[in-house]
Amino acid sequence: MVMNYAPGSEKNPKLVEQKRADNENNLEWLLRAFNALKGKEPLAQSYILLLGGTDTLSWRIRAGQSQLRFDMLPSYWSTSALLCANAENVDKSKVLHIPLFQPQGGVFATERNGVVESPVSIFKDSEHWKNIALIAFPKAQEDVLNLLPHFQRGRNYIDALEHILRWLAFAWGVARTPTPINDGIGLPTACMLESLYSGAGMDLTPGLETRASSPEAIWATASRWYKHFENNKLKMPKGRFCTPDSYNINDGHKKPSGRANKSTED
């Protein structure tokens, strides 16, 4: 399974590189990105966070998504989240995600299909989460969030807990488990996002099954398949990103890029 680039497409001109300032943490970076994207009605759109970690689990997940890339290099991204934006205080916002390591206590995972609400500050550390992107999609935040209860009760449609176990088995090397991507088993948070946006009437990753979605697939849509939105009379996704961590793989070609356009703001 490879996410092909859209024929003849250029990189999305509204997806712009925003480098980190010296000693800037991810919350400070996020504030700049949100202010650049929010427009006059910040919550008339919704926001997806993509992050790439530097720990071993993140490396395994990033490498596991390489099957989606034509160059077979690791993805920049190891996780994703829906930003429940607090338009007045972005650093006080919450995120909805389905972590592979489920929290102890609280409501049992089966009752919420693995969905966890966390403060966005869990992604503050820019040394651990070196790669970060904020992408605004043309669906109102409320419209997307309204579908959450349906997803949490809908394990017969997408069982996010199965996805958790499959990805942990791969990451930990259990019983020679191959990357779940090859079996059409996506990363659980990305599948949640796909389901919520689909219920709200928007195809987040055109041509890909909801249960097969991943951070890499969302990135490919925003960066290369953006004309799908124009063709469906929707606004193009827009975003800011910073991807300094690529494992320094060099096989003689130009450095592959999650890079779209260099920011004129820095």
Side-chain angles (χ1 to χ4, degrees), residues 159-174:
D159 188 347
L161 305 183
E162 176 192 358
H163 291 232
I164 288 173
L165 295 178
R166 289 288 296 273
W167 277 94
L168 283 177
F170 164 71
W172 289 340
V174 175

Side-chain angles (χ1 to χ4, degrees), residues 7-260:
S9 72
E10 299 295 329
K11 294 175 182 177
N12 184 349
K14 294 189 176 183
L15 194 58
V16 177
E17 183 178 17
Q18 176 182 286
K19 293 182 179 179
R20 283 192 187 90
D22 292 342
N23 301 315
E24 185 176 50
N25 64 45
N26 281 340
L27 292 185
E28 294 164 337
W29 184 95
L30 182 63
L31 177 60
R32 289 198 294 127
F34 184 81
N35 285 338
L37 299 172
K38 66 181 182 180
K40 294 181 179 179
E41 296 183 77
L43 303 187
Q45 54 195 359
S46 46
Y47 304 86
I48 289 178
L49 270 173
L50 301 179
L51 297 117
T54 57
D55 58 289
T56 304
L57 178 63
S58 293
W59 154 248
R60 292 285 288 160
I61 293 170
R62 290 170 65 176
Q65 295 173 86
S66 64
Q67 295 290 114
L68 298 174
R69 295 178 57 97
F70 80 97
D71 54 19
M72 301 298 287
L73 291 172
S75 173
Y76 285 96
W77 316 111
S78 55
T79 194
S80 54
L82 180 65
L83 180 69
C84 303
N86 180 330
E88 301 301 322
N89 296 286
V90 178
D91 59 337
K92 304 298 183 186
S93 299
K94 303 288 188 181
V95 293
L96 291 172
H97 60 141
I98 304 177
L100 296 188
F101 294 142
Q102 288 284 301
Q104 291 182 327
V107 178
F108 196 49
T110 57
E111 296 183 47
R112 48 185 169 77
N113 207 2
V115 178
V116 173
E117 183 182 79
S118 302
V120 71
S121 58
I122 65 170
F123 299 124
K124 178 179 180 178
D125 186 352
S126 58
E127 286 301 309
H128 180 79
W129 302 104
K130 286 193 172 182
N131 293 344
I132 183 171
L134 180 67
I135 306 174
F137 286 92
K139 270 293 169 187
Q141 178 170 285
E142 184 179 6
D143 292 346
V144 178
L145 290 176
N146 284 342
L147 277 298
L148 183 63
H150 177 74
F151 176 83
Q152 291 175 307
R153 296 191 297 264
R155 288 183 64 196
N156 58 332
Y157 176 50
I158 293 180
D159 188 347
L161 305 183
E162 176 192 358
H163 291 232
I164 288 173
L165 295 178
R166 289 288 296 273
W167 277 94
L168 283 177
F170 164 71
W172 289 340
V174 175
R176 302 181 297 279
T177 302
T179 173
I181 286 291
N182 287 343
D183 293 328
I185 302 292
L187 271 300
T189 300
C191 295
M192 175 195 75
L193 294 170
E194 190 79 39
S195 177
L196 297 182
Y197 277 89
S198 177
M202 195 187 87
D203 192 356
L204 191 60
T205 55
L208 193 65
E209 279 189 86
T210 299
R211 69 191 306 271
S213 193
S214 66
E216 179 63 31
I218 294 171
W219 174 251
T221 296
S223 60
R224 291 288 188 171
W225 286 87
Y226 61 93
K227 290 189 177 179
H228 157 79
F229 296 88
E230 285 187 325
N231 294 339
N232 286 277
K233 296 180 170 51
L234 294 169
K235 291 181 179 179
M236 288 166 46
K238 55 185 178 179
R240 296 293 184 270
F241 68 92
C242 180
T243 52
D245 188 50
S246 62
Y247 298 107
N248 198 29
I249 297 172
N250 184 355
D251 59 0
H253 297 286
K254 287 184 178 180
K255 185 177 180 181
S257 180
R259 290 159 181 72

